[in-house]
Amino acid sequence: MAAPCGGAVGRPLCQFLSCLSRTAVRYTWRRQFSATSLCRTTLQTQRVTEREGSPWTLMAAVCLQRLPVISADCHPVEQRFRELTRQMELEKSLFSDHELRLLEDAERMNRKQTGSYDSDEEDDNRGQDIVLAQDLEDSWEQKLKKFQPAPRVKADVDEDLTSVERCLADSLVLLAEQQVGSEKLWLLPQAEWQEGDTLRQTAERALASLPAAGFSATFLSNAPCGVYKYKLPKAARTDSLVGTKVFFFKAVLSAMSPSAASNAPLMWLKKSEMQRFVKPAYTMKVERFILDP
Amino acid sequence: MVLGLICRGLSRKTVASSVLSGEHHHAVTLSPWIASVMTLKTSAPLRGEPKKKKKVDPRRELLMRERLKKKLKRMEKIPPEYIPIEDFVTPFKCLDDTRVRSSPRLSFEESEGRAMLLKEWSQYKQKQHLAEVQAVELALEAQREALEELKLESEELYLAALKPDPLLFPFSHKGPVYTPPKTKYDAPEGKYNDITKVYTQ
């Protein structure tokens, strides 16, 4: 499955021009860097000789993941097992100080109510009659009720595909709508490789060049985690250009500034939702390295 | 020259002796106690008393230092005591008989139900583990493929990709919590007394 690549018409002309010029830097259909120092020209000649025979364009894309913020809901088996372990631990445990106090207070209440009880017989009157353990428990419960935690699931935020705070229990991947050839497609933000960059720097540039930049991401490694290569349609192919290879780099979202524009063509999708928007062959390759926790 | 010096020395001595004798004569006339006092004022040992301290104190200081060094050596020879691990020592509270809970008797159905649940749980966990292992293998395969393709493309980029990233570690990320964090929430200030025992060797 091939997706069209941009600038297919201009390429034959550039190829002609490049054949004419005998300079060290022969990449005219890519951006030209002026080689000032001698060692730079020699490096570039090396690179050129390496990449001369290669008919593939290189691009780097970034797979930015927002990791889950809250714990996922439990599977029914997990819930039952959790209850069972709590019960078993309770059965095997010893009484705590608080529980002993509860038992003593209950016993004392029973003895008082029977009537034949003299409070002077009590050996220790340490003021335990004033504050019972049960009262303490009630006061703690009242305090807990006063505190309102933030709701775990907000249905309206979950449906907004552009919001980064949707589906807090799953990990989300950033997708951007970019121009590839003559079409606008939803894919992981990518940028074309240039001379003098490593692929990771290209991926960082891809992330920074997004219209709603404001992400602080940590790139996890220098090595790519996946590759997707596509060939151009036969009409656009030339002898020295067959298609493009896109290398993916993983990054983790560490913080997001609230100045993100809401009308930017960005989406945060779960792994299962990607099939709706992204081409099947692309999804197949990308799904492999996105791990769903 | 030499004779003259000797004469002068002799004459001095005679003068001194005469002075002394003269004084002696005077002292005898006053009283026997005052005589000894007068002689004390001019005697050699009194004049040299401050010099005595300089000789004794350095000796005393040296002796003190040696004693301390001997004590330190003795202390160093003893092997240091082990710091007790608090977790391995059962506190006395736990051995109290009043705290023992009466274990409830489980009915047959209940114990069977528990056994069945444990088996279901082990099967569920096994499936989860296998799925995780498969996912990791798939991701590794994807990475291996990517590196192969990169190697076909350009050796330089391949070598740059293989280099480890020194700036990545230390990497920290806060894991998932039960409820999402509240914006603009003032946590109440809590005061606590830290009573952990700190041991020094």
Side-chain angles (χ1 to χ4, degrees), chain B residues 8-192:
Chain B
R8 253 178 264 160
L10 280 167
S11 61
R12 271 187 207 145
K13 272 191 181 172
T14 47
V15 166
S17 59
S18 65
V19 166
L20 271 171
S21 55
E23 276 185 30
H24 189 72
H25 284 302
H26 283 285
V28 164
T29 49
L30 287 168
S31 80
W33 290 277
I34 295 169
S36 54
V37 168
M38 298 277 267
T39 49
L40 271 170
K41 277 184 192 168
T42 53
S43 61
L46 267 177
R47 269 182 260 130
E49 221 182 273
K51 284 183 197 167
K52 260 189 194 169
K53 283 180 190 169
K54 282 182 197 170
K55 278 185 205 164
V56 176
D57 281 341
R59 246 187 270 158
R60 276 188 197 163
E61 280 180 24
L62 279 168
L63 283 168
M64 286 292 289
R65 272 183 218 163
E66 276 167 37
R67 270 180 238 157
L68 283 169
K69 277 181 196 169
K70 276 183 195 170
K71 275 186 192 170
L72 278 168
K73 275 184 198 170
R74 266 183 233 158
M75 280 174 69
E76 274 167 20
K77 276 185 191 171
I78 304 169
E81 269 181 31
Y82 289 120
I83 300 174
I85 303 173
E86 307 253 342
D87 290 337
F88 290 178
V89 173
T90 340
F92 290 115
K93 274 190 186 178
C94 299
L95 304 169
D96 207 354
D97 277 335
T98 54
R99 292 183 185 255
V100 173
R101 227 181 265 267
S102 55
S103 49
R105 276 197 202 152
L106 296 172
S107 65
F108 178 71
E109 287 93 11
E110 174 121 16
S111 58
E112 285 288 308
R114 282 190 182 184
M116 283 303 295
L117 180 59
L118 288 171
K119 289 189 182 174
E120 274 177 45
W121 172 254
S122 70
Q123 284 170 5
Y124 171 76
K125 272 311 223 183
Q126 190 196 35
K127 281 184 202 163
Q128 211 181 50
H129 175 69
L130 284 175
E132 265 179 29
V133 163
Q134 271 179 4
V136 168
E137 277 184 7
L138 210 60
L140 280 176
E141 176 65 33
Q143 191 176 49
R144 191 188 58 81
E145 218 180 273
L147 285 171
E148 262 181 30
E149 296 278 342
L150 187 57
K151 199 171 180 185
L152 289 174
E153 282 296 307
S154 131
E155 274 298 322
E156 191 201 324
L157 289 175
Y158 177 72
L159 291 170
L162 288 186
K163 278 186 203 160
D165 183 17
L167 301 173
L168 176 61
F169 294 111
F171 174 70
S172 71
H173 175 79
K174 285 196 175 168
V177 284
Y178 189 64
T179 51
K182 266 170 122 175
T183 49
K184 297 174 196 171
Y185 174 68
D186 283 324
E189 275 183 31
K191 189 187 147 191
Y192 59 92

Side-chain angles (χ1 to χ4, degrees), chain A residues 98 101-103 105-106 109 131-141:
Chain A
H98 180 75
R101 208 175 143 180
L102 273 172
L103 288 172
D105 288 345
M109 292 300 287
V131 182
L132 293 175
Q134 192 64 42
D135 296 337
L136 279 175
E137 272 193 21
D138 292 335
S139 67
W140 295 334
E141 250 196 80

Side-chain angles (χ1 to χ4, degrees), chain A residues 211-225:
Chain A
F215 310 117
S216 56
T218 320
F219 276 81
L220 293 178
S221 102
N222 282 328
C225 56

